[in-house]
Each structure stands twice: as structure tokens, then as C-alpha cells.
Amino acid sequence: MQYRSLGSSTLQLSVLSFGSWITFGTRLDQNGANECLACAFDHGINFFDSAEVYLGGEAERMLGRGIKALGWSRDSYCVSSKVLFGTGDNHSVMNSSRPTQQGLSRKHITEACHQALQRFGVDYLDFYLCHRPEAGMSIAEIAWTMNTLIQQGKVLYWGTSEWPAEDILRLMEFCHHNRLVPPQLEQPQYNLFHRERVEREYQPLLHEHGLGLTTWSPLASGVLAGRYDEGIAADSRLATEGFAWLEDFVFENKREQRIEAAKQLKTIANELGSTRAQLALAWVLKNEAVTSVLVGASSVAQLQENLGALEVIPRLEPAVLRLMDEIFQ
Ligand SMILES: NC(=O)c1ccc[n+]([C@@H]2O[C@H](COP(=O)([O-])OP(=O)(O)OC[C@H]3O[C@@H](n4cnc5c(N)ncnc54)[C@H](OP(=O)(O)O)[C@@H]3O)[C@@H](O)[C@H]2O)c1
């Protein structure tokens, strides 16, 4: 495994990290999740991601149960939770039943932190993120609440996910003026189909403000691994009950172009002696601004394959990167 600093912090995170979105509780039962967690940890992965909304909080419970069963020492790994959507009435609905059970108010941020601690079975969260911005949100209220949770020892680092750069900058400036702990990380989508935010919008935040990045969906939910070359298989993520919306989200009305681009990736992967999944992951890892790439896997075999991406990074010569740029322009 390789490790990188979380932006301006010296905290060392594994460049590959493991997430629990959709897979935990659907494609992976507790035993399957535990096997993946053990495989990840044994290969040096030290960061495990979840959120209050993942399976209505059940993904966090499964992660917590797995960590407990595997007996990891608390100082050997990091966990994250994300707040905004609530836990929902059921695992597929991203709406909680009552207004106070969601959002970025002091009340919900605080309650959701306490609930995540309980679900994980830990005393503190390493990372606590505002899952998205909220219309009408108060930068001051969010910053003071996060600072309080940090002072109380319930959170170590806080941050955002998919926030516009200008809002993150407002947060940082507010924290600076009020001597509060500033956000340390952002969690954006970053893959061959989604580059704008990481490569352009966030640039000043990364270089001038030392923001760390833990990026998500490196394989575009499996499209870049060739999972949908021949349509949507019954055992694939896009066929998961309750996630019908994901198909439009993943393809964004460009299904044919995206499948075709993923197929072209196979030729390059073959020439480099890698798989498509490894190549797509290595491409993300090649960007040194990325602290850690969150991978999802619905089996140990997928996870093991993805761990092989580290060996592919040195094979990404400029000519290869240019070719990939042409395919995914
Ligand atoms: N902050 C946010 O808003 C946000 C949003 C999304 C995700 N995340 C985090 O980021 C993590 C990773 O995102 P993601 O799960 O979307 O990542 P991803 O790598 O783009 O997608 C993972 C899926 O791709 C397929 N896959 C993985 N490895 C494969 C391989 N070697 N060969 C073929 N198919 C493979 C599997 O699909 P099948 O199940 O079909 O086999 C797997 O479930 C999540 O678990 C979550 O923790 C955060």
C-alpha cells in the first residue's frame, strides 16, 4: 500500500480506501462485508467510508460490527460518516420522515454525529462530512457546530462532499476569522467521466488552502470496469432494488458514448497488462492532489483486483494518458 497526507495535515491515509455505499446490506451480507474489510485491512487500507443515509444507517452498523469482529485497534484505521439526508424511512428513500431529522442545522449535525458513533460503536469519528450543501444553509452554524464536536472529542477532521469551491472557501474564511478548526477534506466524484471539479474548480483550495481529497466512484459504479458492456446484468449495481435512479445518474443521457469509451479502455488495459478496473483506478491515483480513492466492491475478488491498480500507476506514460484523454474528452 502507499500512503498520502490528507492535504495540509500529516495524517497518512492509504491511497485506496474502502466504501460501503449500496454494496453493504445488498450485494454483501455481514460475512461478505467482513471478508472484504479483512482483505482491505490486510493490504494496508486504513480508511473506511460510510454515511447516515447508506441503507438507512445499516451500512454504518455493518461496518462497526465488522471492525469489532476483526478486532482492529482503534488507532489503526479511520472511519467517516456524512450528514444531511437523514436515515430515511427505508433504505432507498433519501428523505427522513421529519424536518429535524435531516439537513445541516446544529440540531441534525449533532444528533446525526451521536447516532453515527452509536452505529459504528466508536468514541469518535475520524472524518465527518456535510454530504451536500443545503439550500439556505448557515455557514456560521455549520462551522461552529463542527468546531464544538471537535472540541468535545467526537470528531477529528471535518469537511464537505460535492460542495462548490466558493462555499468551501466561505467556510474556510469564516473559520479563519473566528479561530475555528477549518474543513480539512472534500469528497467529490472523480473518474474519467467526471474531471472538472477536481482538475479545475478545486485547484486553489488544494494548492493554497491545503484541502485533502477523498474521491468517490472511480469506476463510475462499474461502467469503467466493463460491467455494463452487454447491458444491465441482474447481479449488477444498476439492477439493485431501490436504486432505479442510479442508471440516469451514471449515464447522464450518454449511455452509448460511455459504454463505447469503456470498451476502448480495454485495448489500452490489455497493452499495459492490466484490467480496465485497475487502469481506471490507476488513472485517478496518478493525480497527486487526490489523497485517497474510495473503492466499492461487491466481492473480495473485485477488491483484490482493484488493489492491483497500484502496480499500474508507473505504466501510465504521457502517451498513454494522452490516449485516455482523447477517448474520454
Ligand atoms: N460522498 C458521496 O456523495 C459519495 C457518493 C458515492 C460513493 N461514495 C463513497 O465512495 C465509495 C466508492 O464509490 P463507488 O462504490 O461508486 O465506487 P466504484 O468503484 O465506482 O463502483 C463500485 C462498483 O463497481 C463494480 N466494481 C468494483 N470493482 C470492480 C471490478 N474489479 N470489476 C468489475 N466491477 C467492479 C461493483 O459493481 P457491482 O456491485 O455491480 O459488481 C462495485 O459495487 C462508496 O462506497 C462510498 O463510500 C461517496
Side-chain angles (χ1 to χ4, degrees), residues 84-140:
L84 175 72
F85 297 111
T87 51
D89 290 331
N90 69 53
H91 60 255
S92 62
V93 180
M94 296 207 345
N95 284 308
S96 289
S97 50
R98 290 179 177 268
T100 53
Q101 293 174 320
Q102 55 191 307
L104 298 176
S105 65
R106 175 173 293 120
K107 181 171 174 69
H108 186 61
I109 293 176
T110 305
E111 297 279 8
C113 175
H114 293 167
Q115 288 160 7
L117 291 174
Q118 274 197 336
R119 287 189 292 261
F120 276 126
V122 295
D123 296 329
Y124 65 89
L125 299 172
D126 298 276
F127 311 119
Y128 193 35
L129 310 182
C130 301
H131 210 153
R132 294 288 182 274
E134 185 187 24
M137 66 188 176
S138 161
I139 291 289

Side-chain angles (χ1 to χ4, degrees), residues 25-321:
T26 55
R27 313 266 297 113
L28 292 169
D29 61 12
Q30 188 69 57
N31 283 339
N34 290 6
E35 281 170 20
C36 284
L37 291 171
C39 170
F41 192 76
D42 291 348
H43 285 85
I45 287 181
N46 66 5
F47 167 32
F48 302 86
D49 180 70
S50 201
E52 59 171 352
V53 70
Y54 295 175
L55 209 70
E58 186 55 21
E60 291 186 340
R61 282 192 205 93
M62 288 180 70
L63 194 43
R65 284 196 289 265
I67 289 170
K68 193 172 175 200
L70 294 164
W72 302 343
S73 141
R74 184 65 186 93
D75 55 4
S76 64
Y77 66 90
C78 298
V79 287
S80 60
S81 183
K82 300 187 281 290
V83 57
L84 175 72
F85 297 111
T87 51
D89 290 331
N90 69 53
H91 60 255
S92 62
V93 180
M94 296 207 345
N95 284 308
S96 289
S97 50
R98 290 179 177 268
T100 53
Q101 293 174 320
Q102 55 191 307
L104 298 176
S105 65
R106 175 173 293 120
K107 181 171 174 69
H108 186 61
I109 293 176
T110 305
E111 297 279 8
C113 175
H114 293 167
Q115 288 160 7
L117 291 174
Q118 274 197 336
R119 287 189 292 261
F120 276 126
V122 295
D123 296 329
Y124 65 89
L125 299 172
D126 298 276
F127 311 119
Y128 193 35
L129 310 182
C130 301
H131 210 153
R132 294 288 182 274
E134 185 187 24
M137 66 188 176
S138 161
I139 291 289
E141 185 170 344
I142 293 167
W144 277 106
T145 306
M146 288 295 189
N147 195 70
T148 301
L149 291 171
I150 288 174
Q151 300 307 322
Q152 292 173 341
K154 293 171 186 165
V155 170
L156 297 189
Y157 300 88
W158 74 282
T160 53
S161 177
E162 296 289 353
W163 277 43
E166 61 187 272
D167 286 339
I168 300 174
L169 201 56
R170 281 168 62 214
L171 272 179
M172 287 175 157
E173 283 168 357
F174 183 87
C175 290
H176 179 72
H177 286 126
N178 292 281
R179 295 175 176 271
L180 306 180
V181 179
Q184 183 66 43
L185 70 158
E186 158 62 43
Q187 194 174 109
Q189 181 174 195
Y190 186 43
N191 57 48
L192 281 156
F193 298 129
H194 288 269
R195 303 174 58 163
E196 171 69 24
R197 223 169 209 167
V198 167
E199 295 181 6
R200 275 169 280 279
E201 184 182 334
Y202 287 159
Q203 282 307 301
L205 296 170
L206 309 178
H207 298 296
E208 292 156 34
H209 297 274
L211 193 71
L213 290 182
T214 60
T215 63
W216 56 271
S217 283
L219 303 180
S221 279
V223 176
L224 289 163
R227 204 75 174 84
Y228 300 99
D229 283 4
E230 312 302 332
I232 299 176
D235 67 344
S236 67
R237 169 176 290 191
L238 293 189
T240 307
E241 193 189 340
F243 287 92
W245 57 272
L246 193 59
E247 195 176 329
D248 286 344
F249 177 83
V250 164
F251 290 116
E252 297 179 306
N253 290 325
K254 297 173 200 151
R255 177 190 296 257
E256 277 158 32
Q257 296 100 304
R258 291 198 168 173
I259 298 286
E260 180 53 32
K263 284 182 179 170
Q264 288 185 39
L265 200 59
K266 192 174 183 183
T267 316
I268 306 177
N270 286 346
E271 280 169 16
L272 296 180
S274 79
T275 67
R276 265 186 279 183
Q278 290 168 339
L279 177 56
L281 281 163
W283 177 87
V284 177
L285 288 165
K286 183 85 179 162
N287 186 340
E288 295 275 339
V290 174
T291 310
S292 187
V293 182
L294 282 158
V295 298
S298 53
S299 66
V300 172
Q302 283 184 353
L303 181 57
Q304 280 171 333
E305 177 183 333
N306 297 348
L307 284 157
L310 268 71
E311 289 152 38
V312 181
I313 306 170
R315 298 178 214 160
L316 296 184
E317 302 283 349
V320 175
L321 293 171

